[in-house]
Amino acid sequence: MNKKFLIIVPVLLVLSSVLVIIKNLPQKQFYLEDKYYGSSDFIEINADNLKQLIDDKESFALFVYQPGCITSANFQKNLEKFTQNNNIQFYKMPFSDIKNTTLNKKIEYYPSFAIFNKGTLIDYLDAGSDNDLKYYESQKEFKTWFTDYVLLKKTNSSNATQTSNNESTNNIDTTTDKTAETTTNVTPENATSINLENVTKDPNKVNIYFFWGSTCPHCKAEFAFFDEIKAEYGQYYNLYTYEVWENPNNADIMSTFANALNDSTTAVPYTVVGDESFIGFGESTKEKIINAIKNNHKNSRDVYFDKIKK
């Protein structure tokens, strides 16, 4: 065997081991810019603002959210508590705006959270990763992740004592679902008067009203759930679906249903089974929806016919 080969192989192995060690070394912690300490506000920015921050080589943190997404709303509640407890300021930006930024090739799902050091993306949370789920649900876990990179400054704020309930699913393709949507002739002048001409009331079936967003991954998961239970429970319900992010008429319908049920929500997925409502979608929601179908399919109460239409 060639002697040079015998020498080169061990050297390459050593170099490979060194690179692995270097890669796994702890990230050097850093402070954000001074202006981000001492306040707990969220600052809304756009693609141009983000580019300027990167060009100026600033150190900052960015919350990427989707308006009307229940998971984004729940995560923001955790972030708000975190900023208040640590007197620190974050930027926020709609997911739809990142397509024109350098984040477009990195962040595929929402919500997300990105950390920049001197204009360079250091790390971000991936909503499509099971490993990152704990950072969304627990303020304590988020702080552990965040402070692996960013140094906090002492404040007088109390420590967080709560975490928000965040029902979500992961690893879901965000391509728009092609499930057929029930068509309605809606002519609302406002969110208090609607006429759903294609909706009927069956004494042996409960009506399900499902409000969803065109690129909402959790809505896609709920569509898949209804496909899964159709064979066993389809005889007990009629499903009416309304896409609300791109259809303002459907958004009015959702607002009317939420008001009738005293629900404070503008987020999807939002599901009404008869006169029971469910905000968000996750494993525990599946069981609740199935129970509502089984318990209410006979002579069910219906919020549309019993309250809204009257």
Side-chain angles (χ1 to χ4, degrees), residues 30-33 35-36 45 49-63 88-93 102-103 113-123 146 150:
F30 57 91
Y31 284 105
L32 303 183
E33 307 299 323
K35 61 185 178 182
Y36 300 125
I45 62 172
N49 300 140
L50 179 60
K51 183 179 185 303
Q52 189 63 54
L53 289 167
I54 293 172
D55 290 344
D56 291 344
K57 299 189 181 303
E58 286 207 17
S59 298
F60 61 96
L62 174 68
F63 168 45
I88 192 169
Q89 200 171 60
F90 295 148
Y91 289 116
K92 63 183 295 191
M93 182 177 180
T102 57
L103 293 180
F113 193 93
I115 299 173
F116 289 81
N117 185 19
K118 295 182 179 178
T120 299
L121 178 64
I122 300 302
D123 199 6
F146 184 77
V150 178

Side-chain angles (χ1 to χ4, degrees), residues 30-241:
F30 57 91
Y31 284 105
L32 303 183
E33 307 299 323
D34 287 342
K35 61 185 178 182
Y36 300 125
Y37 296 96
S39 174
S40 58
D41 298 329
F42 278 85
I43 305 170
E44 188 87 22
I45 62 172
N46 56 31
D48 291 336
N49 300 140
L50 179 60
K51 183 179 185 303
Q52 189 63 54
L53 289 167
I54 293 172
D55 290 344
D56 291 344
K57 299 189 181 303
E58 286 207 17
S59 298
F60 61 96
L62 174 68
F63 168 45
V64 179
Y65 71 100
Q66 175 63 47
C69 168
I70 189 66
T71 310
S72 295
N74 284 337
F75 185 37
Q76 180 167 335
K77 290 177 183 177
N78 264 358
L79 292 177
E80 287 172 350
K81 293 174 185 175
F82 180 84
T83 60
Q84 292 164 6
N85 291 336
N86 296 283
N87 223 19
I88 192 169
Q89 200 171 60
F90 295 148
Y91 289 116
K92 63 183 295 191
M93 182 177 180
F95 177 80
S96 56
D97 287 355
I98 71 170
K99 62 183 178 182
N100 298 319
T101 74
T102 57
L103 293 180
N104 186 42
K105 296 180 180 180
K106 295 285 186 180
I107 299 178
E108 299 181 79
Y109 306 102
Y110 54 80
S112 183
F113 193 93
I115 299 173
F116 289 81
N117 185 19
K118 295 182 179 178
T120 299
L121 178 64
I122 300 302
D123 199 6
Y124 64 93
L125 294 182
D126 181 2
S129 168
D130 289 336
N131 293 330
D132 284 357
L133 182 59
K134 59 185 178 182
Y135 303 128
Y136 289 95
E137 296 183 333
S138 167
Q139 189 180 155
K140 181 179 178 181
E141 292 289 350
F142 174 81
K143 184 175 182 179
T144 299
W145 172 78
F146 184 77
T147 53
D148 276 347
Y149 305 102
V150 178
L151 292 165
L152 299 173
K153 295 184 178 181
K154 291 182 178 180
T155 70
N156 294 325
S157 299
S158 60
N159 293 327
T161 58
Q162 293 180 314
T163 60
S164 65
N165 293 323
N166 179 13
E167 291 200 332
S168 63
T169 54
N170 294 286
N171 299 321
I172 299 168
D173 187 323
T174 56
T175 307
T176 303
D177 194 284
K178 301 300 182 181
T179 303
E181 183 175 352
T182 300
T183 57
T184 59
N185 295 322
V186 185
T187 56
E189 296 301 324
N190 51 52
T192 60
S193 176
I194 60 173
N195 181 24
L196 309 183
E197 292 184 358
N198 289 349
V199 175
T200 60
K201 189 173 182 180
D202 187 321
N204 296 308
K205 290 185 176 183
V206 63
N207 283 341
I208 300 177
Y209 306 91
F210 174 33
F211 301 93
W212 60 288
S214 58
T215 59
C216 167
H218 311 306
C219 300
K220 281 209 67 177
E222 187 163 348
F223 268 117
F225 162 71
F226 282 121
D227 285 341
E228 291 170 4
I229 69 171
K230 187 174 182 179
E232 185 173 358
Y233 299 105
Q235 60 183 313
Y236 302 126
Y237 66 83
N238 287 319
L239 177 63
Y240 299 93
T241 68

Side-chain angles (χ1 to χ4, degrees), residues 181 184 186 211 242-244 247-255:
E181 183 175 352
T184 59
V186 185
F211 301 93
Y242 306 90
E243 198 290 319
V244 301
N247 188 319
N249 283 342
N250 288 346
D252 284 335
I253 296 172
M254 175 176 162
S255 178

